[in-house]
């Protein structure tokens, strides 16, 4: 990945083998070395989940900023620059300040074993502690229980977005194990918002909230969203409100927007009006999530879309989107993903909808499946795919196959494919 700054060196070869259950101890050690900046933060909203974490934070940030509040935010991964991960009082972190914080953490670490995300999370805490803000929105990197961000002992509110199977090599091979990891961010007597979940997942989350005596705002019990002719309706125990369609596209974004609104209702020290929520829905931006791309490489009438989704739930979401809103044009899918992902589960829902699915390598990610490896997996499942050497070549193939008929191209499977779109 290209960076505009030189990233400080972290111990290279051994960091992947470091034990997960010691992550928080490593982070705590480094925090102490740089002055415990985590003790000097604004109120924190901590967000975990499989899908929708970044979008929910984007909605929350937009609504809070529409009401005039100053917001820090920490998200991952980035697409083009590492600095995309850190927002300081509403603005991307300055490269010089980022480098200074990273260098302070490198020196404080004294070349002891530590993972890259652990070190950079401490740098983010350091940056957040240096600039006042009204609130900090913090996304977990992976899981929750042993995630470096979970070093925080006191948070104002937790949010758990939709949970599904992903990163099984780290979080466990069952939905129950994954849910247990995500629920690890729930703190004693700290309010928590639960987004849409499968019934057995929600049951596990509710039990965890009860164990921690944490007041829970539960999708389907305490709040809900419903698509309307013009926008959508959000409803909770206080009533309902008609809201405009979010700027982030896809039916799943109504759920993410709803989780953000539910969170605001729990943050009662912030004065958020309906007009602020509506403005935030219109202003919100989140790169790489069902994003329409302007491209001069396409003929007139064609559309190019990108989504960084990379698991089974993302495949289902895109299939719903295609069936409900994209029936007007032929659909061609360009797909590439990293090793370890369930390729068949991601593509199965889209196989009957797309004219063709074209497998490509992810050039920015060395640990990606080759197109031939994707085809080997999908052939065994009875899915017929094509392959191309690059995104650019796949776009050309789709144009050639469609002829004079304007079509729609969707690129998905990895956020890093965004780097290859002209």
């Amino acid at each position: 990945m290209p960076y505009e700054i030189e990233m400080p060196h972290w111990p290279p070869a051994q960091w992947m083998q470091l034990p997960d259950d010691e992550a928080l101890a490593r982070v705590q050690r480094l925090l102490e070395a740089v002055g415990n900046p985590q003790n000097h933060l604004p109120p924190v909203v901590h967000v975990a989940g499989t899908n929708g974490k970044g979008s929910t934070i984007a909605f929350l940030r937009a609504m809070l900023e529409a009401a005039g509040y100053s917001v820090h935010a920490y998200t991952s991964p980035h697409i083009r620059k590492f600095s995309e991960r850190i927002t300081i009082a509403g603005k991307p972190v300055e490269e010089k300040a980022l480098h200074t914080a990273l260098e302070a953490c490198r020196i404080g670490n004294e070349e002891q074993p530590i993972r890259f995300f652990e070190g950079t999370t401490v740098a983010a805490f350091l940056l957040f502690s240096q600039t006042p803000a009204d609130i900090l929105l913090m996304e977990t990197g992976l899981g929750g229980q042993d995630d470096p961000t979970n070093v925080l002992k006191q948070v104002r509110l937790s949010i758990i977005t939709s949970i599904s199977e992903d990163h099984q090599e780290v979080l466990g091979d069952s939905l129950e194990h994954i849910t247990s990891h995500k629920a690890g961010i729930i703190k004693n007597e700290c309010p928590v918002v639960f987004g849409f979940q499968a019934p057995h997942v929600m049951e596990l989350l509710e039990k965890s909230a009860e164990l921690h005596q944490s007041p829970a705002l539960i999708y389907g019990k305490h709040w809900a969203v419903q698509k309307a002719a013009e926008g959508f309706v959000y409803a909770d125990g206080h009533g309902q409100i008609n809201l405009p369609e979010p700027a982030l596209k896809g039916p799943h974004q109504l759920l993410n927007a709803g989780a953000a609104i539910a969170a605001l209702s729990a943050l009662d020290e912030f004065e958020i009006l309906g007009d602020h929520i509506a403005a935030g829905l219109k202003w919100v931006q989140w790169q790489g999530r069902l994003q329409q791309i302007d491209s001069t490489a396409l003929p007139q009438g064609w559309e190019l879309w990108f989504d960084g989704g990379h698991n089974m739930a993302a495949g289902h979401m895109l299939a719903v989107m295609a069936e409900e809103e994209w029936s007007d044009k032929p659909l061609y899918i360009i797909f590439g993903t990293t090793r370890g992902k369930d390729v068949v589960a991601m593509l199965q829902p889209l196989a009957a909808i797309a004219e063709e699915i074209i497998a490509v390598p992810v050039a920015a990610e060395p640990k990606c499946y080759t197109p031939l490896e994707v085809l080997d997996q999908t052939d065994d499942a009875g899915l017929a795919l094509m392959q191309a050497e690059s995104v650019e070549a796949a776009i050309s193939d789709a144009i050639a196959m469609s002829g004079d008929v304007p079509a729609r191209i969707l690129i998905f499977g990895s956020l890093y494919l965004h780097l290859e779109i002209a």
Side-chain angles (χ1 to χ4, degrees):
M1 295 294 296
Y3 298 108
E4 290 193 358
I5 62 172
E6 181 182 354
M7 299 299 291
H9 168 79
W10 300 99
Q14 79 273 28
W15 73 267
M16 284 294 289
Q17 286 75 44
L18 295 177
D20 288 333
D21 59 2
E22 295 179 11
L24 297 182
R26 293 191 295 269
V27 173
Q28 186 63 58
R29 168 183 55 76
L30 182 53
L31 284 167
E32 291 175 0
V34 297
N36 286 311
Q38 78 280 8
N39 296 332
H40 305 283
L41 301 175
V44 176
V45 175
H46 200 192
V47 185
T50 305
N51 295 298
K53 300 187 296 295
S55 296
T56 300
I57 284 178
F59 279 120
L60 258 177
R61 178 186 163 191
M63 294 170 188
L64 285 160
E65 289 181 344
Y69 292 104
S70 176
V71 183
H72 292 331
Y74 185 57
T75 58
S76 61
H78 61 280
I79 296 178
R80 297 184 181 275
K81 297 188 298 181
F82 181 86
S83 56
E84 295 169 17
R85 299 180 181 219
I86 301 173
T87 300
I88 304 294
K91 297 180 180 179
V93 63
E94 295 181 358
E95 300 288 336
K96 183 177 179 181
L98 174 58
H99 187 274
T100 299
L102 289 167
E103 184 65 9
C105 291
R106 185 192 66 80
I107 294 170
N109 189 56
E110 297 180 338
E111 298 191 4
Q112 297 182 71
I114 195 166
R115 285 178 167 160
F116 180 78
F117 186 71
E118 294 163 6
T120 54
T121 296
V122 174
F125 283 137
L126 193 57
L127 288 160
F128 294 139
S129 71
Q130 294 168 350
T131 301
D134 296 309
I135 194 166
L136 165 57
L137 311 178
M138 176 157 288
E139 176 185 352
T140 58
L142 183 65
Q145 178 176 310
D146 298 318
D147 188 80
T149 63
N150 206 33
V151 71
L152 296 171
K153 301 302 182 186
Q154 299 290 331
V155 301
R156 175 61 180 84
L157 175 74
S158 301
I159 303 174
I160 299 182
T161 62
S162 178
I163 295 174
S164 61
E165 293 180 352
D166 199 5
H167 298 293
Q168 290 95 322
E169 72 283 1
V170 176
L171 303 179
D173 56 4
S174 73
L175 205 51
E176 290 73 20
H177 283 136
I178 295 170
T179 300
S180 176
H181 274 277
K182 307 288 186 184
I185 72 164
I186 298 174
K187 304 295 190 296
N188 290 336
E189 300 181 355
C190 172
V192 59
V193 173
F194 294 144
F196 173 83
Q197 310 289 347
H200 61 295
V201 170
M202 189 69 87
E203 183 179 351
L204 291 171
L205 291 176
E206 289 187 54
K207 287 181 179 178
S208 182
E210 291 173 5
L211 180 66
H212 290 280
Q213 298 182 322
S214 302
L217 292 173
I218 302 166
Y219 175 80
K221 287 187 178 181
H222 304 113
W223 66 273
V225 292
Q226 177 66 51
K227 188 174 182 179
E230 296 182 3
F232 71 106
V233 177
Y234 172 86
D236 61 16
H238 301 290
Q240 64 181 43
I241 181 172
N242 295 307
L243 294 165
E245 181 181 357
L248 300 184
K249 302 301 180 185
H252 61 297
Q253 293 295 3
L254 301 186
L255 296 168
N256 295 329
I261 299 168
L264 291 174
S265 71
L267 297 169
D268 51 13
E269 68 270 38
F270 294 87
E271 186 177 354
I272 310 294
L273 305 178
D275 287 346
H276 301 141
I277 294 172
L281 290 167
K282 293 178 180 178
W283 296 346
V284 64
Q285 295 181 343
W286 191 229
Q287 190 178 25
R289 279 69 175 182
L290 206 53
Q291 175 185 4
Q292 187 169 5
I293 307 293
D294 292 329
S295 176
T296 57
L298 295 178
Q300 186 174 0
W302 281 65
E303 293 181 11
L304 179 62
W305 291 76
F306 175 84
D307 187 82
H310 47 266
N311 52 39
M312 178 176 62
H316 281 286
M317 177 277 294
L318 291 169
V320 170
M321 175 71 180
E323 288 181 324
E324 291 185 355
E325 301 188 26
W326 283 356
S327 60
D328 59 320
K329 293 180 180 180
L331 177 63
Y332 292 86
I333 292 175
I334 298 173
F335 174 83
T337 195
T338 53
R339 294 185 182 278
K341 300 297 182 182
D342 191 336
V343 169
V344 173
M346 293 167 69
L347 293 177
Q348 191 95 54
L350 293 155
I353 301 170
E355 297 290 323
E356 293 286 352
I357 300 176
I358 307 171
V360 298
V362 184
E365 176 49 77
K367 297 177 182 178
C368 73
Y369 284 122
T370 66
L372 184 58
E373 288 171 330
V374 171
L375 264 61
D376 285 343
Q377 295 179 58
T378 53
D379 284 347
D380 291 342
L383 302 180
L385 269 66
M386 296 177 58
Q387 61 177 311
E389 62 183 14
S390 66
V391 168
E392 183 180 7
I395 291 174
S396 297
D397 290 344
I399 293 171
M401 285 184 284
S402 186
D404 295 330
V405 179
R408 183 176 284 110
I409 296 174
L410 170 65
I411 302 171
F412 98 105
S414 170
L415 277 167
Y416 296 125
L417 287 171
H418 196 283
L419 295 168
E420 301 176 44
I421 301 174

